[in-house]
Amino acid sequence: MPEFLQEIVASPLFGLLLFDLAIVWPLWRILRRAGLSPWWALLALIPFGLVPVIGVLAHSRWPVLPVRAKPAVKARRSV
């Protein structure tokens, strides 16, 4: 194995790159399936960038899901 390749694999940045890819790729797929822009997944590459992504996933309406019907209001009895 060439010496420069051994240095790259032994570098902590290589592990960080693998970890980032392991986070971004599934997040990209989740956002796409939810009907949201998958470009939000790239925010996971910066420190604390995953926090707004989780907020968007948790608090926005997912265009893929059908709209819920409002429950019927029961008539109240007068006493």
Side-chain angles (χ1 to χ4, degrees), residues 3-35:
E3 189 174 319
F4 70 93
L5 201 55
Q6 284 180 337
E7 290 178 15
I8 290 175
V9 172
S11 169
L13 292 178
F14 182 71
L16 184 63
L17 176 68
L18 289 177
F19 181 75
D20 284 343
L21 290 176
I23 295 295
V24 170
W25 182 70
L27 190 59
W28 186 280
R29 292 183 49 118
I30 290 169
L31 288 166
R32 190 176 57 193
R33 287 186 181 191

Side-chain angles (χ1 to χ4, degrees), residues 36 52-62:
L36 302 169
V53 175
I54 292 172
V56 167
L57 274 173
H59 297 291
S60 66
R61 297 226 179 259
W62 291 18

Side-chain angles (χ1 to χ4, degrees), residues 10 41 43 49 73 78:
L43 278 177
V73 179
S78 59

